Amino acid sequence: MSRVLAAIDCSQCRQPLENPQRCRSCGAFQAHDPRRDHFSTLALDRSFDLDEAALERRVVQFSRDLHPDLAGGAVGGKARAVLGAAQVNEAYAVLRDRFRRGEYLLQLGGGPTAAQDKAVPDGFLEAMLDERDAVDAALAAGTEACDALAAKFTATLRGHEAVLTRAFADLTRLGDATAAETARADLRGRLRRELNVMNYHRTLARDLREGRRDKEGA
Amino acid sequence: MSGVGESGVSGNDGERNDNELIVGIDLGTTNSLVAWFGPDGPVVLRDESGDPIVPSVVTYRQGETVVGRAALALAIEHPNTTLWSIKRLMGRGFADLGPAERAALPYVVAAGERGLAKVEVDGRLVGPEEVSALILRELKARAERRIGRPVAKAVITVPAYFDDAQRQATRLAGKLAGLEVVRIVNEPTAAALAYGLDRTKDGVIAVFDLGGGTFDVSILELREGIFRVRATAGDTRLGGDDFDQKLVARLLDRAPAAAVVDASLRQAVKQAAERAKIALSECDSVQWGVVDERRGVEIDDTITRAEFEALIEPEVARALACCRRALADAELAPADLRAVVLVGGSTRVPLVRRRVEEAFRRKPYIGLDPELVVALGAAVQADILRGGARDLLLLDVIPLSLGLETYGGAAAKVLMRNTPIPAQASDTFTTHVANQTAIDLHVVQGERELVKDCRSLGRFRLRGLPPLQAGMVRVDVQFLVDENGVLTVHAKERFTGIEAAIEVVPSYGLTDVEVARMVDESFRFARQDFEAHQRIDLENECKTMLAATRAVLAVGNHGLDEAAREEIAAAERAVGALLGGNGAVRELKAVYDRYVTATVPLAGIVMSEVAQAAIGGKTVEQVLASQPTGYAETTPKPPALEVGAAGTVVLDRVRIGAKVDAADGGNCGALGEGFRAAPAPRMEKVVGKLDWKDTEEIGIRLFERQPKVDPLTVRFTELHRQICALDGFVGDPKKSNEKVLEAIQMAWLDEYQAAH
C-alpha cells in the first residue's frame, strides 16, 4: 500500500516537480490528476507513520506556491490556485489528525468504513459508560482531576496510534499479491475495530477538553 | 461567505498593475481610518491637522449629510438624526436586535424590507450600508486628497466573527461609496500583518482586538512568511460602547426628578461617559457629569477606577471566555504563544490589560498604536494584492461553519469553523421520501445544530432525480470557498450525473433591483462629489497662483516684455471670470493651464532674483536658535486635566443648550477627543524618509521652525542648508532652488501675500 512517489516532470518546462500542482521553475499549473490523493497532494509517501514536521513544511511551501494572491497572469490561474490551495488545506486537515489519517488510509486500502462495520470488543460499551461518568466526575472535582484524566486519555490515544502504526506497516508488507487477500481482509477488519474504539476515546478526550473550557468560561 | 458577484476579484487575475492604487480601510464601530502602502511602507492618512481618525458618525441635517468630527459636534443639537455605532446594524435583521440593544441607540431603528434593520431619519428609512457608505466616501476623499490620485479600490477590514450577511453589507457599503472592495480581511489578521512586517520571526501570536463595538481574538501562526489563522473567536456585540453604556446608566440613575431623559440628554451623557472612561484609564478617580441648560438640570457623579472596573468586569470576562475557546480550538496552551498583541482603543482600559496578562500569562506586546494597526495591516494586504510585497502571505479561515439543512430542520456541517481558505469539502446526502424527484438544498451558516438558529445563506434545487426509494439516491455536495470567502455549492447526483450549482448569495440580503438603485444613486452622488471636489481643489490652486503672481508683479516688472505681461493679464481675466462659478471643471482647467503657461517666463526670472537676493541675515540666527519641532507635536495636545480635591480628576461637564458649531473643529475636539491619550508617534512618511519631492512637508517643517520668515528676504542657500539638515532628509544635497521655492510657496504663502 505504500507507494514511493514517482518523479513527475512539469508539463511545460520538463523540470522535475516539487509540488505536483504547480511548477516552481516556470510557474505553470499542472493538469488535474484524478489519481492524486491527500498524500501525493503534499508529495508525501502514503503511510501512517508520517513525518509530521515534513507535513507542516510542505503545507507552508505548497500554500505559497498555490496562494491565489500570487496566481499570476495566466488565464484561469486564479481558479486553479483556489482549487489547488483548497486541496492542500483539505489534505492537511485530514493528515495532521492521526485518527482521520488512519480512517483515510483504511479507506484508500479498501475499507471497511465505520458505517459498514461498527464492531467493538465485548464489554467495551459498558466500559465507556463508566468512562463517561469519570469525565463528569473529573469536571466536578476540578483542575487536578481533569489534568489526571486528560493525561490518561492522551496515553490511551498514543496506544491506539502505536497499534495502527504496526498494523498499517503489516498491511504494506503483505503487498497486493492475490494470495494474501484473506490476510489483508483480516488485517483491515482489525484496523476497523481499532479505529472504532479509538473514536470513542477521542470523543471522550474532546468532551473533557470542551467541558473544562465551558466551565472556565462561565 | 459569498459575493454579490462583483468583478473585482477576477479583475485582479490577469492584469497586475503596479500603479494600481488600493487603499486599506478600517471601518470601525466608533472610529474609521484609511491607510495606503506608500513608497516607504504602510502609512495612515491623516487630515490636514494630523488627525488619523474619522469618527464613524453621520448627521443628517436639512437634506445634507455631515460625517466625522463635524457630525460628532452636531450630535447634541441633532440627537435623532446623528447616527453612530451604525456598524452594529450592518447586515442584521430588526428581530436580531434585542430591545435592550435598540434602546441603547438614541436614533430610531425600524424594520425595513424582509425585516432588515434600518434607521429612521426624517421620516424615511436609511440602510446601515448607506450610512457606512457615507463614512467610506469621506475616507475615500481624504485618501484622494492626501495621495493626489483617484482611489477606486479598497481592502476593508471586518471583525473576524462577522457572518456572511455582515460581510455582504460591508461590501455593498463599499460599492455605494464608489469603491471596489477587492478583499475583506479580518481585523485581527490585518493587525498581525502589520506586525509581521517588522517581526518576521516564526511563532504563534494571539491578537486581542477590543474595539468600540466588537471583540475578536485570533490565534495566528507565522511560519516562513505565511500567516495561518489557527483559530478565531469573538463577539460582535462587545466593545467599548458597552463600557460607556455602564457609565451612562450609572449617571442617569443619579439624575434629579426634574431631568428629562430625551435624545439630546442621552447624546450628552454618552459623550461625557466616553470622556470619563478615557480619563479613568489614567486616573484613580473622576468627577464628571452633564448640564442641561434648557431645564437648569445638573447631573454629577464621582467614580473611582475600582468602581468602574466592577461595572465592566462581566464584559471583560466575556472577552476572556472567548480567548480560552480560541486557545482550545487551536489546541494550544498560553505557554505556546510567542506574543499577545493588543488592538483597538478599548485595550487602553487598564482592567482589560490586566486580565489579558493573567489569561495569557504574559505581558501584552504594544509596539504599534492599537488604534492604527488594523488600517496599517489593511494597507499591507492591499499592497500584496497590488502585486507588491510577496514575502508575506495570509491564509485566512472560515469564521462560522457552513452546512446544509437536512431532514427535520437539522444543520449538517460540511465545512467547519476555522477551516483555512481556500477550502473545499464534500458530503453525500440522500432523499427521505420515496420517488422524490427534486431536492432542495438549503445552505446555512452558524454553529448551532438547528437550522432555525443558523443564518440562512441561500437555497437551490436539484431537479430530475430518478424516482427511487427513500435513501437510495446519492447526491454528492461539494462546498468550495475561495480566497475572498465566497462560497460555491455544487451538487451532483451519482447515478444520473445531473447537477446544479450556485454561488451563494444570502437570501437575507437586498434584491438586485434594490442594489442597482442604491448603486445608481451613489454613483450619481459620487460623480457630483468628485466634480465638486476637483473644482474646489482647482479653484484654490488658481487663487494661490493669482495671488502669488500679483504679489510678484506689484514689486516691479522684473524685466518682463510687454507681450508676456499682456498674456498674463489676459489669462488672469479668463481665470477670474470662471472662479466661483459652477461651470464644468474642464473649462476651469483649460484657463488654469493657460495661466500657468503664461507665467512661466516670470517664474524663471523671479527664481533667479530670489536666489541672488542677499538680504536678511538675522533670520538665519533665529532659525538656528529655534528648537527643531517634530511634526507629531503639532497634533493637538489633550488639555491638562484639572485635579480637584483628594486627587479626583474633574472633567468639564458636557453642556446641552450651548450652540455647537459644526465647522468649529476645536469644539468637536473638546467633546470627543479631549482626553484621548497622547498621540502615538506618527506612522507617516514624516518619521521616515523625506525627499525633495515632499515639498509640502518640507515647507510645513520649515514654517514650524520659523513662522515669521519673509520668504523673499531669506537666503536660498540658508534654507537649502536647513532642508538638508531636517530629520530623515535623504534628498540630493545639490538639488536646485526650484524645490526650495516650492517649499516656500507651500508654507509662507500667506506671509508672502501679506508682505506684498
Side-chain angles (χ1 to χ4, degrees):
Chain A
M1 197 154 101
S2 172
R3 189 185 54 157
V4 176
L5 289 169
I8 312 168
D9 293 339
C10 170
S11 59
Q12 298 292 312
C13 71
R14 301 290 157 203
Q15 294 292 310
L17 288 173
E18 285 164 277
N19 179 344
Q21 299 200 66
R22 192 181 188 188
C23 175
R24 272 190 208 146
S25 304
C26 71
F29 286 95
Q30 307 297 304
H32 177 69
D33 181 350
R35 286 166 305 173
R36 203 151 52 216
D37 59 31
H38 290 330
F39 290 97
S40 51
T41 293
L42 293 174
L44 294 165
D45 285 340
R46 192 190 283 186
S47 107
F48 183 78
D49 194 15
L50 199 66
D51 179 350
E52 292 183 353
L55 172 71
E56 295 287 331
R57 271 199 311 278
R58 287 289 150 73
V59 170
V60 170
Q61 289 161 355
F62 288 14
S63 295
R64 178 180 290 283
D65 296 339
L66 298 166
H67 200 292
D69 290 356
L70 304 184
V75 177
K78 181 76 142 277
R80 283 303 324 273
V82 168
L83 266 175
Q87 281 167 17
V88 166
N89 285 331
E90 191 182 16
Y92 178 58
V94 171
L95 298 188
R96 72 188 289 240
D97 178 329
R98 292 171 196 154
F99 170 78
R100 291 185 67 186
R101 190 195 303 161
E103 282 281 358
Y104 182 67
L105 265 178
L106 183 57
Q107 179 201 324
L108 288 177
T113 66
Q116 288 164 337
D117 183 353
K118 298 190 175 71
V120 289
D122 291 343
F124 176 74
L125 292 177
E126 289 76 0
M128 288 312 293
L129 289 176
D130 294 342
E131 295 276 8
R132 170 73 48 196
D133 289 343
V135 169
D136 293 341
L139 284 172
T143 310
E144 272 175 37
C146 287
D147 283 345
L149 192 58
K152 187 187 145 204
F153 285 154
T154 305
T156 308
L157 288 172
R158 292 294 97 85
H160 288 304
E161 287 159 17
V163 172
L164 290 176
T165 304
R166 278 196 304 278
F168 277 117
D170 289 347
L171 196 58
T172 305
R173 219 169 294 128
L174 284 174
D176 41 13
T178 323
E181 179 49 38
T182 318
R184 278 201 302 271
D186 182 49
L187 204 45
R188 289 205 301 266
R190 270 172 48 206
L191 279 163
R192 179 70 267 157
R193 284 188 293 283
E194 189 68 23
L195 283 165
N196 288 351
V197 170
M198 185 180 181
N199 196 20
Y200 277 101
H201 286 133
R202 190 167 163 261
T203 309
L204 277 177
R206 195 195 60 208
D207 289 350
L208 176 64
R209 210 165 47 231
E210 291 184 352
R212 286 180 89 167
R213 190 187 71 194
D214 294 345
K215 227 177 121 205
E216 283 168 14
Chain B
M1 316 247 11
S2 61
V4 183
E6 287 141 274
S7 58
V9 185
S10 55
N12 207 17
D13 199 14
E15 7 153 355
R16 248 171 233 291
N17 181 354
D18 279 352
N19 293 320
E20 186 178 51
L21 187 56
I22 309 177
V23 294
I25 291 177
D26 173 5
L27 183 61
T29 306
T30 42
N31 292 319
S32 295
L33 299 94
V34 58
W36 78 308
F37 203 96
D40 300 305
V43 172
V44 170
L45 297 163
R46 294 163 189 257
D47 72 3
E48 286 66 15
S49 68
D51 184 355
I53 282 166
V54 172
S56 306
V57 182
V58 174
T59 301
Y60 287 76
R61 182 179 63 169
Q62 289 126 34
E64 59 158 13
T65 53
V66 180
V67 180
R69 293 234 179 273
L72 210 54
L74 288 170
I76 292 172
E77 233 188 305
H78 301 268
N80 296 312
T81 58
T82 296
L83 313 179
W84 42 268
S85 294
I86 198 71
K87 188 173 174 182
R88 290 193 175 215
L89 301 187
M90 290 286 273
R92 299 182 66 197
F94 179 75
D96 300 343
L97 299 158
E101 208 174 341
R102 286 202 301 270
L105 301 170
Y107 45 84
V108 180
V109 181
E113 318 85 71
R114 285 176 309 290
L116 294 173
K118 298 243 177 185
V119 181
E120 203 179 312
V121 181
D122 296 337
R124 75 187 178 99
L125 292 183
V126 180
E129 304 87 2
E130 293 173 80
V131 180
S132 294
L134 294 170
I135 299 164
L136 288 173
R137 194 171 290 155
E138 180 77 15
L139 295 165
K140 178 176 185 270
R142 171 181 290 191
E144 288 174 340
R145 224 161 44 235
R146 300 307 283 182
I147 304 172
R149 279 157 62 193
V151 172
K153 295 185 176 188
V155 169
I156 301 182
T157 60
V158 297
Y161 232 60
F162 252 27
D163 69 17
D164 191 69
Q166 291 166 306
R167 282 161 203 261
Q168 284 309 326
T170 306
R171 274 182 183 276
L172 180 58
K175 204 168 174 176
L176 295 176
L179 286 169
E180 183 189 323
V181 182
V182 291
R183 182 69 52 88
I184 297 270
V185 182
N186 292 330
E187 284 157 11
T189 321
L193 270 180
Y195 271 104
L197 282 185
D198 33 282
R199 294 169 65 82
T200 42
K201 229 169 66 202
D202 288 359
V204 182
I205 61 171
V207 181
F208 183 100
D209 179 359
L210 188 59
T214 54
F215 170 70
D216 274 314
V217 59
S218 293
I219 311 291
L220 295 114
E221 183 183 8
L222 178 63
R223 194 178 167 127
E224 293 171 39
I226 294 217
F227 264 115
R228 278 192 292 173
V229 180
R230 301 306 293 255
T232 68
D235 191 327
T236 52
R237 276 154 263 174
L238 176 61
D241 280 359
D242 298 293
F243 299 172
D244 296 347
Q245 286 308 321
K246 299 276 178 165
L247 289 172
V248 166
R250 179 180 156 109
L251 195 70
L252 290 179
D253 273 352
R254 286 160 173 69
V260 178
V261 183
D262 61 2
S264 286
L265 185 68
R266 277 197 171 279
Q267 285 280 6
V269 173
K270 187 191 148 46
Q271 294 194 4
E274 196 190 341
R275 287 169 46 183
K277 172 187 73 179
I278 292 166
L280 280 167
S281 288
E282 278 158 34
C283 330
D284 290 332
S285 175
V286 163
Q287 184 187 324
W288 65 298
V290 295
V291 181
D292 188 346
E293 285 171 356
R294 300 167 306 176
R295 299 190 176 81
V297 169
E298 299 179 9
I299 318 175
D300 287 300
D301 177 35
T302 301
I303 183 168
T304 64
R305 188 189 280 180
E307 286 172 313
F308 175 62
E309 291 183 345
L311 284 178
I312 63 170
E313 186 81 60
E315 273 68 29
V316 178
R318 263 163 70 202
L320 291 170
C322 288
C323 292
R324 277 189 287 272
R325 200 176 77 180
L327 274 177
D329 282 350
E331 291 172 31
L332 291 169
D336 300 326
L337 300 176
R338 205 190 71 215
V340 180
V341 172
L342 296 185
V343 179
S346 302
T347 59
R348 292 214 169 97
V349 174
L351 178 71
V352 173
R353 294 202 172 176
R354 233 166 40 232
R355 291 285 181 263
V356 169
E357 191 175 333
E358 287 163 12
F360 290 100
R361 289 170 216 146
R362 69 182 62 233
K363 275 222 175 303
Y365 176 79
I366 314 145
L368 298 173
D369 184 329
E371 262 177 314
L372 307 186
V373 63
V374 169
L376 290 172
V380 173
Q381 178 63 40
D383 187 55
I384 295 171
L385 290 175
R386 193 180 56 94
R390 284 173 179 253
D391 50 346
L392 206 61
L393 286 170
L394 187 61
L395 293 179
D396 223 322
V397 294
I398 296 169
L400 298 165
S401 300
L402 296 163
L404 283 176
E405 173 168 1
T406 59
Y407 191 70
K413 298 188 177 78
V414 177
L415 274 169
M416 299 300 284
R417 178 166 61 96
N418 287 330
T419 303
I421 53 174
Q424 68 171 12
S426 35
D427 212 335
T428 306
F429 294 86
T430 187
T431 50
H432 273 269
V433 180
N435 300 324
Q436 194 176 336
T437 57
I439 288 187
D440 266 327
L441 292 123
H442 181 200
V443 186
V444 296
Q445 179 178 39
E447 304 316 305
R448 307 281 295 275
E449 297 302 324
L450 293 181
V451 166
K452 68 178 176 62
D453 298 320
C454 293
R455 168 87 71 196
S456 168
L457 292 184
R459 293 169 186 275
F460 69 116
R461 176 168 284 196
L462 187 63
R463 295 169 202 278
L465 299 177
L468 294 171
Q469 279 189 311
M472 292 298 288
V473 175
R474 287 280 177 277
V475 177
D476 292 320
V477 179
Q478 195 191 38
F479 279 48
L480 177 67
V481 179
D482 75 8
E483 77 284 9
N484 279 297
V486 176
L487 168 66
T488 308
V489 180
H490 181 257
K492 184 173 185 178
E493 202 282 317
R494 212 177 274 175
F495 306 114
T496 55
I498 57 157
E499 53 193 318
I502 54 163
E503 185 172 289
V504 172
V505 175
S507 47
Y508 161 89
L510 298 156
T511 65
D512 290 350
V513 177
E514 286 164 328
V515 171
R517 178 185 56 78
M518 288 165 87
V519 168
D520 181 54
E521 273 177 15
S522 68
F523 278 169
R524 236 177 21 242
F525 282 129
R527 255 198 304 279
Q528 279 171 15
D529 288 0
F530 184 69
E531 284 250 317
H533 203 138
Q534 255 193 326
R535 182 165 191 100
I536 290 166
D537 287 353
L538 199 53
E539 288 215 351
N540 285 339
E541 248 176 276
C542 287
K543 285 177 194 156
T544 306
M545 283 283 297
L546 287 179
T549 312
R550 277 190 203 128
V552 172
L553 287 176
V555 186
N557 204 4
H558 303 273
L560 210 59
D561 67 44
E562 191 59 26
R565 263 205 92 131
E566 265 176 24
E567 173 54 18
I568 291 176
E572 186 180 329
R573 279 193 300 278
V575 171
L578 290 182
L579 278 185
N582 47 14
V585 177
R586 214 169 354 96
E587 294 167 22
L588 185 59
K589 179 80 172 91
V591 295
Y592 169 77
D593 287 343
R594 175 181 170 191
Y595 190 73
V596 170
T597 314
T599 53
V600 165
L602 178 63
I605 294 166
V606 171
M607 215 183 305
S608 57
E609 279 178 6
V610 170
Q612 287 156 14
I615 331 161
K618 65 175 163 53
T619 49
V620 178
E621 279 75 29
Q622 284 178 349
V623 168
L624 291 177
S626 72
Q627 288 299 309
T629 41
Y631 195 92
E633 290 177 39
T634 64
T635 311
K637 277 212 186 87
L641 297 173
E642 181 194 335
V643 179
T648 298
V649 166
V650 183
L651 298 184
D652 280 343
R653 291 176 297 188
V654 174
R655 283 169 191 276
I656 310 169
K659 192 74 181 155
V660 186
D661 184 2
D664 182 357
N667 203 349
C668 317
L671 288 171
E673 282 287 277
F675 297 91
R676 186 170 290 286
R682 238 164 92 110
M683 311 292 303
E684 285 189 45
K685 163 150 228 85
V686 184
V687 286
K689 305 280 182 277
L690 205 58
D691 201 344
W692 281 112
K693 64 183 181 304
D694 310 308
T695 43
E696 183 174 359
E697 199 62 55
I698 292 172
I700 290 168
R701 293 231 222 149
L702 290 177
F703 185 76
E704 279 167 12
R705 289 170 167 229
Q706 192 46 276
K708 287 282 174 238
V709 150
D710 177 347
L712 286 185
T713 62
V714 180
R715 287 189 201 203
F716 254 43
T717 44
E718 183 50 38
L719 281 180
H720 197 159
R721 201 186 59 70
Q722 283 182 39
I723 291 171
C724 293
L726 285 175
D727 282 348
F729 186 81
V730 293
D732 177 1
K734 285 204 288 267
K735 195 78 176 194
S736 80
N737 288 329
E738 185 186 326
K739 290 288 177 183
V740 180
L741 184 66
E742 216 177 290
I744 293 177
Q745 282 179 343
M746 297 285 184
W748 284 287
L749 190 76
D750 292 345
E751 307 283 325
Y752 192 106
Q753 288 168 358
H756 302 281

